[in-house]
């Protein structure tokens, strides 16, 4: 190289045919944060989220990519309302919008824009569907109230009721109730309020004590209390997931992405066009969440006093040896309550079951009462004896059960002064000694092999007195071949 020669630096230019994560105009810190949120989604999930945003913003993904203006596309409240007019109640659409607006992209805590940017939309999805309680809490606080600072108990109640109402509405609209519907179950209005009250009862004050209902409405709850509540009450996150996935129709059909809602509602069999259940949709969701995981996928109607008659013998004939069951009844005063039996019912003069059993109330309040460890009087079924009580019972002791249905059908009691020793339940019925109005028994989970293979009812099932006598003498059953055909297990899906 001679003196005076000019050296021109060699420059390599690389052309990217697509916008780099659509964050060219964001700062490095913001760009990295956005990439971190995007990385939570699989490629097909990113595509799903992009597609919904494109619909909401009225843009075409391919056109936006070509002109590099995808980042400028935004979503308005009106667009959200139009998109979700039928799937979700309007109040929940507004709450989702407020949650999206609450995401601060600049870190300057400026007043939120009326338009939702793509980054806000993605971070909203990332935090609520895949984040922890800390990541969800800012959004949830703004969904509860648009004002900064603590929120009132009444605002939390309104949010929770809106959330549960939206879950029932969207699952019904999308036909995702798996055989249940709003016609074959109790009216959900009282169930929504009951479930909301139950979830709110889990709110803990800063000192760790629970808020008392009458004062709860006017009390202020700060961010840390709400975060603790969301962390301890899994239904809040699960319900938000249902509302977003089914309401926005996003990430609702991708494999392994709906584990939180797969068994939210169990499949329903045996009720189609026959009766209106004593359960409502919110109470089904709540009671099902307390069952062992392997039993949450299916409920099958075994007995209904409306279908099979008001007969204790008929009750025994339909529920013996059918696997784990839920018993639910209503007294003449309108109180609805029951219990979960973890084992097949057997007619015998001894207590049975294990510590997975529980008692519950559905109306006027919704609650589950689990075992205390005080005794093992989980479940009891006896008939046709003179020396032992005859009837169906759960918890407590003879003549003093937490739940008792007498073999003299129509009579029962729920005794607890102050609480049932086995389950720590209060009196479940309106009166200690109650008159029965209606009763249902639901088998939960898959039918046990014994019930499937034997296929017919034994004379001992129809006549529990004979079985009880054999149990007393230690004899086994030998009449399994004499069974009536089981009712068809009709598909209600």
């Amino acid at each position: 190289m001679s003196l005076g020669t000019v050296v021109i630096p060699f420059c390599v230019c690389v052309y990217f045919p697509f916008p780099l994560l659509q964050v060219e105009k964001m700062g490095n810190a913001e760009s990295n944060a956005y990439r971190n949120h995007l990385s939570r989604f699989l490629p097909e999930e990113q595509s799903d989220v992009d597609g919904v945003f494109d619909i909401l913003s009225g843009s075409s993904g391919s056109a936006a990519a070509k002109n590099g203006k995808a980042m400028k596309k935004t979503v308005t409240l009106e667009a959200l309302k139009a998109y979700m007019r039928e799937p979700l109640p309007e109040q929940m659409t507004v709450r989702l919008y407020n949650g999206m607006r609450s995401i601060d992209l600049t870190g300057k805590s400026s007043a939120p824009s009326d338009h939702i940017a793509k980054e806000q939309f993605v971070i909203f999805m990332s935090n609520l569907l895949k984040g922890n309680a800390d990541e969800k809490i800012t959004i949830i606080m703004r969904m509860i109230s648009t004002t900064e600072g603590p929120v009132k108990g009444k605002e939390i109640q309104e949010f929770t009721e809106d959330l549960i109402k939206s879950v029932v509405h969207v699952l019904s609209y999308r036909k995702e109730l798996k055989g249940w519907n709003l016609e074959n179950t109790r009216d959900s209005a009282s169930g929504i309020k009951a479930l909301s009250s139950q979830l709110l009862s889990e709110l803990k004050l800063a000192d760790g004590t629970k808020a008392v209902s009458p004062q709860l409405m006017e009390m202020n709850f700060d961010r840390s209390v709400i975060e603790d509540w969301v962390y301890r009450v899994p239904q809040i996150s699960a319900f938000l997931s249902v509302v977003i996935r089914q309401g926005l129709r996003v990430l609702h059909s991708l494999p392994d992405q709906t584990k939180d809602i797969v068994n939210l509602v169990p499949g329903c069999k045996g009720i189609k066009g026959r009766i209106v259940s004593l359960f409502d949709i919110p109470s089904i969701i709540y009671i099902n969440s307390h069952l062992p995981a392997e039993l949450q996928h299916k409920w099958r109607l075994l007995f209904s006093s409306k279908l099979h008659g008001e007969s204790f013998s008929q009750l025994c004939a339909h529920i013996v040896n059918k696997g784990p069951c839920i018993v639910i009844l209503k007294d003449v005063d309108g109180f609805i309550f029951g219990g979960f039996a973890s084992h097949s019912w057997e007619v015998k003069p001894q207590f049975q079951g294990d510590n997975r059993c529980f008692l519950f109330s559905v109306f006027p309040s919704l609650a589950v009462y689990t075992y205390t460890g005080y005794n093992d009087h989980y479940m009891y079924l006896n008939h046709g004896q003179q020396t032992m009580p005859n009837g169906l019972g759960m918890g407590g002791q003879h003549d003093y059960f937490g739940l008792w249905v007498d073999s003299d059908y129509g009579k029962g009691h729920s005794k607890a002064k102050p609480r049932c020793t086995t389950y720590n339940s209060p009196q479940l019925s309106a009166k200690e000694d109650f008159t029965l109005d209606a009763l249902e028994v639901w088998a939960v989970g898959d039918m046990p092999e014994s019930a499937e293979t034997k296929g017919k009812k034994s004379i001992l099932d129809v006549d529990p007195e004979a079985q009880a006598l054999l149990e007393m003498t230690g004899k086994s059953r030998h009449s399994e071949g004499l069974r009536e055909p089981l009712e068809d297990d009709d598909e209600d899906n």
Side-chain angles (χ1 to χ4, degrees):
M1 181 183 301
S2 61
L3 291 173
T5 303
V6 178
V7 179
I8 300 175
F10 179 69
C11 176
V12 177
C13 295
V14 180
Y15 170 68
F16 288 95
F18 52 87
L20 185 59
L21 295 178
Q22 300 176 349
V23 291
E24 305 95 327
K25 298 180 182 179
M26 300 173 70
N28 286 337
E30 297 167 62
S31 173
N32 289 336
Y34 182 53
R35 284 194 183 93
N36 289 339
H37 284 285
L38 273 179
S39 68
R40 286 177 160 178
F41 298 103
L42 298 171
E44 59 266 36
E45 292 178 320
Q46 288 188 33
S47 176
D48 204 14
V49 171
D50 288 344
V52 171
F53 182 84
D54 288 345
I55 293 171
L56 289 170
S57 62
S59 66
S60 161
S62 58
K66 288 175 184 175
N67 60 32
K69 295 180 181 178
M71 187 179 160
K72 295 181 181 179
K73 293 293 183 180
T74 60
V75 174
T76 63
L77 176 58
E78 289 67 32
L80 266 181
K81 284 182 177 179
Y83 184 75
M84 296 194 288
R85 180 171 289 115
E86 293 183 350
L88 287 179
E90 184 173 307
Q91 309 98 292
M92 184 49 61
T93 301
V94 173
R95 291 186 188 277
L96 292 174
Y97 169 75
N98 288 333
M100 294 176 191
R101 290 177 71 210
S102 72
I103 294 164
D104 182 11
L105 296 176
T106 64
K108 297 176 182 177
S109 299
S110 54
S113 167
D114 291 338
H115 297 264
I116 309 300
K118 174 71 172 289
E119 294 75 28
Q120 289 174 299
F121 186 77
V122 169
I123 294 170
F124 174 86
M125 294 290 174
S126 166
N127 283 345
L128 284 191
L129 297 183
K130 296 177 180 289
N132 56 35
D134 179 58
E135 292 171 303
K136 294 173 183 176
I137 194 59
T138 300
I139 297 172
I140 292 175
M141 290 289 283
R142 291 292 73 80
M143 290 180 70
I144 294 173
S145 171
T146 54
T147 58
E148 292 288 337
V151 293
K152 285 198 174 296
K154 185 169 180 56
E155 293 175 312
I156 306 171
Q157 179 192 47
E158 291 168 351
F159 163 76
T160 308
E161 288 185 4
D162 279 353
L163 183 58
I164 299 165
K165 177 182 177 181
S166 299
V167 168
V168 174
H169 181 94
V170 75
L171 290 178
S172 176
Y173 177 78
R174 299 293 190 197
K175 302 189 185 309
E176 293 286 350
L177 287 175
K178 304 179 183 178
W180 304 98
N181 58 57
L182 302 183
E183 287 71 49
N184 66 18
T185 53
R186 285 178 67 241
D187 178 51
S188 286
S190 65
I192 289 168
K193 290 187 177 299
L195 179 52
S196 172
S197 294
Q198 171 56 35
L199 300 183
L200 285 172
S201 73
E202 294 297 324
L203 274 170
K204 286 186 178 179
L205 304 177
D207 62 2
T209 60
K210 289 189 178 181
V212 182
S213 286
Q215 291 84 35
L216 188 146
M217 293 300 102
E218 295 306 316
M219 293 180 69
N220 289 320
F221 296 89
D222 63 21
R223 176 192 170 103
S224 63
V225 172
I226 303 300
E227 182 178 342
D228 171 72
W229 180 60
V230 171
Y231 177 77
R232 289 185 299 100
V233 180
Q235 287 90 349
I236 302 301
S237 294
F239 291 170
L240 281 169
S241 180
V242 171
V243 166
I244 292 167
R245 293 177 193 274
Q246 296 292 349
L248 284 167
R249 215 61 175 156
V250 62
L251 309 184
H252 67 283
S253 59
L254 295 171
D256 300 320
Q257 290 307 304
T258 54
K259 287 179 179 177
D260 53 347
I261 63 171
V262 163
N263 290 328
L264 187 73
V265 180
C268 169
K269 297 183 182 297
I271 196 176
K272 192 172 185 179
R274 302 167 84 189
I275 63 166
V276 176
S277 176
L278 296 173
F279 280 107
D280 51 65
I281 300 299
S283 64
I284 291 167
I285 291 172
Y286 188 68
I287 300 301
N288 196 57
S289 71
H290 287 80
L291 298 179
E294 68 273 15
L295 303 178
Q296 292 180 4
H297 61 288
K298 180 168 66 177
W299 291 17
R300 181 169 51 89
L301 184 67
L302 292 180
F303 175 84
S304 165
S305 57
K306 300 172 189 175
L307 286 175
H308 304 109
E310 298 179 346
S311 159
F312 194 77
S313 291
Q314 280 293 315
L315 170 64
C316 293
H318 282 85
I319 71 172
V320 166
N321 294 326
K322 295 300 193 325
C325 295
I326 290 173
V327 178
I328 182 171
L329 53 142
K330 182 171 79 165
D331 66 21
V332 292
D333 294 296
F335 280 43
I336 302 174
F337 50 96
F340 164 62
S342 59
H343 288 194
S344 282
W345 286 101
E346 296 180 50
V347 177
K348 61 182 182 181
Q350 292 92 31
F351 284 98
Q352 47 196 295
D354 61 27
N355 61 19
R356 296 176 300 166
C357 295
F358 58 78
L359 291 179
F360 62 83
S361 60
V362 167
F363 184 84
S365 62
L366 181 61
V368 165
Y369 305 99
T370 55
Y371 86 109
T372 61
Y374 182 83
N375 59 37
D376 59 359
H377 298 174
Y378 304 113
M379 46 192 280
Y380 175 92
L381 180 63
N382 201 29
H383 189 36
Q385 288 189 39
Q386 295 182 354
T387 57
M388 299 293 284
N390 294 307
L392 181 152
M394 295 189 70
Q397 58 195 36
H398 294 315
D399 301 322
Y400 209 88
F401 282 91
L403 169 60
W404 175 256
V405 177
D406 202 88
S407 62
D408 182 5
Y409 192 89
K411 298 177 182 178
H413 71 242
S414 177
K415 297 185 179 181
K417 292 182 178 177
R419 293 272 172 164
C420 168
T421 53
T422 312
Y423 298 112
N424 199 37
S425 54
Q427 179 181 306
L428 301 174
S429 49
K431 301 182 180 72
E432 190 175 80
D433 294 293
F434 63 82
T435 302
L436 192 59
D437 178 62
L439 187 149
E440 296 168 10
V441 182
W442 293 84
V444 292
D446 294 322
M447 188 187 298
E449 288 185 12
S450 58
E452 288 180 333
T453 56
K454 289 167 185 172
K456 291 180 178 292
K457 292 178 184 174
S458 164
I459 186 66
L460 298 179
D461 290 335
V462 180
D463 183 7
E465 295 180 34
Q467 183 186 344
L469 286 172
L470 286 180
E471 292 284 354
M472 286 289 285
T473 57
K475 303 284 186 182
S476 59
R477 301 172 55 162
H478 298 291
S479 58
E480 299 294 0
L482 305 174
R483 290 181 174 268
E484 299 168 6
L486 291 172
E487 294 176 16
D488 290 338
D489 187 19
D490 54 330
E491 294 288 339
D492 287 345
N493 293 324

